[in-house]
């Protein structure tokens, strides 16, 4: 059996209890060594075989899983953050489908939620933004034209932009071209929840300047939107005294 497990965004304490238990019973662990906190490997039993997928190709990863399956082993494929976001898991699952190997997924805390926790943010403030757009700039992997930064920026919703810290100047221009005002609040969060985390408040216009000044070129998330200043928002109706729910009557 194969388990795709989300390691969380950095701090080893942020893996789920289910993920921790799967690591403890695994006979084989294949982990994304470039970003997964190595402290998580301490959950592995002494007999566990551990592979770093940062040095492996897709075929090599699948070959190790197939070999483990022939031995009746439990394999954990340990991905950074949540495997469903930029995890390249579908191609692995399709390969396992072809081999008739069963698998399950265990979710994890993605970087945008780790960053929100670090900054004490709520991404969805009433009358400011009720949507969170998770996206990235095109790089070695392309982005569909209809999902361009400019297209999403036109909504003026909250955005969490992954894998783009090395292109902040271009990103800034596209955000403005799409519809954000240059002085729209932004934040650059380096290695969210890791001990070496750094976060910098800026604006859409000063993203590139902020990145250059602090030598941030990778492993950073960009957050954009008026929710970052948590001002001029409306209180939730959920807790209003004149709002009735299934569990609470209107209080007069």
């Amino acid at each position: 059996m194969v388990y795709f497990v989300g390691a969380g965004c950095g701090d080893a304490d942020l893996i789920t209890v289910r993920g921790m238990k799967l690591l403890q019973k695994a006979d084989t662990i294949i982990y994304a060594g470039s970003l997964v906190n190595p402290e998580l490997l301490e959950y592995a039993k002494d007999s566990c075989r551990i592979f770093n997928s940062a040095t492996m190709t897709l075929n090599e990863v699948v070959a190790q899983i197939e070999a483990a399956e022939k031995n009746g082993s439990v394999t954990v494929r340990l991905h950074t953050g949540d495997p469903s976001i930029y995890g390249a898991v579908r191609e692995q699952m399709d390969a396992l489908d072809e081999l008739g190997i069963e698998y399950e997924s265990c979710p994890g805390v993605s970087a945008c939620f780790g960053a929100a926790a670090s900054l004490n943010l709520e991404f969805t403030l009433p009358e400011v933004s009720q949507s969170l757009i998770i996206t990235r700039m095109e790089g070695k992997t392309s982005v569909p034209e209809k999902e361009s930064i400019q297209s999403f920026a036109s909504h003026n919703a909250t955005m969490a932009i992954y894998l783009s810290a090395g292109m902040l100047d271009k990103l800034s221009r596209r955000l403005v071209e799409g519809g954000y005002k240059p002085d729209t609040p932004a934040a650059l969060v380096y290695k969210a929840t890791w001990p070496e985390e750094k976060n910098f408040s800026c604006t859409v216009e000063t993203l590139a300047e902020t990145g250059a000044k602090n030598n941030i070129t990778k492993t950073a998330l960009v957050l954009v939107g008026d929710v970052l200043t948590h001002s001029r928002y409306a209180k939730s109706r959920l807790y209003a005294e004149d709002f009735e729910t299934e569990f609470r009557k209107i209080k007069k």
Side-chain angles (χ1 to χ4, degrees):
M1 185 67 178
V2 180
Y3 296 92
F4 290 89
V5 176
C9 48
D11 193 324
D13 287 347
L14 289 177
I15 193 167
T16 64
V17 173
R18 180 186 296 179
M20 177 191 69
K21 290 180 178 179
L22 289 171
L23 287 174
Q24 289 171 334
K25 79 173 187 177
D27 302 300
T28 299
I29 295 173
I30 305 173
Y31 75 106
S34 59
L35 289 173
V36 167
N37 192 330
E39 290 181 26
L40 291 170
L41 301 179
E42 295 175 10
Y43 289 122
K45 56 192 178 186
D46 292 341
S47 60
C48 183
R49 301 174 71 222
I50 298 175
F51 300 89
N52 182 352
S53 65
T55 63
M56 302 167 72
T57 65
L58 172 62
N59 288 339
E60 289 171 336
V61 169
V62 174
Q64 287 294 346
I65 294 175
E66 186 177 17
E69 282 293 304
K70 289 178 179 178
N71 292 326
S73 298
V74 172
T75 299
V76 166
R77 180 68 173 102
L78 188 61
H79 279 267
T80 182
D82 183 276
S84 68
I85 299 178
Y86 307 121
V89 292
R90 186 67 258 167
E91 59 198 44
Q92 298 173 69
M93 292 174 176
D94 286 344
L96 297 185
D97 285 339
E98 291 177 6
L99 294 169
I101 296 174
E102 294 185 359
Y103 54 85
E104 292 181 6
S105 295
C106 175
V109 178
S110 190
C112 67
F113 303 115
S118 293
L119 299 175
N120 291 316
L121 286 180
E122 181 178 348
F123 284 135
T124 52
L125 291 177
E127 297 187 14
V128 178
S129 176
Q130 288 291 285
S131 302
L132 171 63
I133 296 171
I134 297 174
T135 190
R136 63 184 289 273
M137 291 274 285
E138 71 275 8
K140 292 181 180 179
T141 301
S142 62
V143 172
E145 186 175 347
K146 64 183 179 180
E147 296 182 9
S148 69
I149 292 293
Q150 298 96 309
S151 172
F152 285 141
S154 67
H155 297 284
N156 269 228
T158 310
M159 288 181 71
I161 306 167
Y162 286 66
L163 304 168
S164 305
M167 301 174 280
L168 293 176
D169 188 55
K170 184 185 294 185
L171 173 61
S172 178
R173 290 198 304 271
R174 292 188 179 184
L175 288 168
V176 173
E177 288 170 6
Y180 283 112
K181 295 179 180 178
D183 62 354
T184 299
L188 192 58
V189 185
Y190 171 75
K191 299 197 76 170
T193 78
W194 288 76
E196 59 268 41
E197 177 193 305
K198 298 177 183 177
N199 59 72
F200 306 96
S201 297
C202 56
T203 65
V204 166
E205 187 176 39
T206 60
L207 268 171
E209 175 187 342
T210 302
K213 180 179 178 181
N214 296 285
N215 197 31
I216 305 297
T217 59
K218 62 180 181 178
T219 328
L221 183 76
V222 177
L223 302 177
V224 178
D226 288 327
V227 297
L228 271 71
T229 58
H230 43 84
S231 59
R232 300 188 302 277
Y233 67 92
K235 290 183 179 179
S236 168
R237 294 290 299 148
L238 179 60
Y239 300 107
E241 292 183 352
D242 61 346
F243 186 76
E244 185 170 307
T245 73
E246 180 183 354
F247 306 98
R248 189 186 71 240
K249 299 299 182 182
I250 292 175
K251 296 186 178 181
K252 298 179 180 178

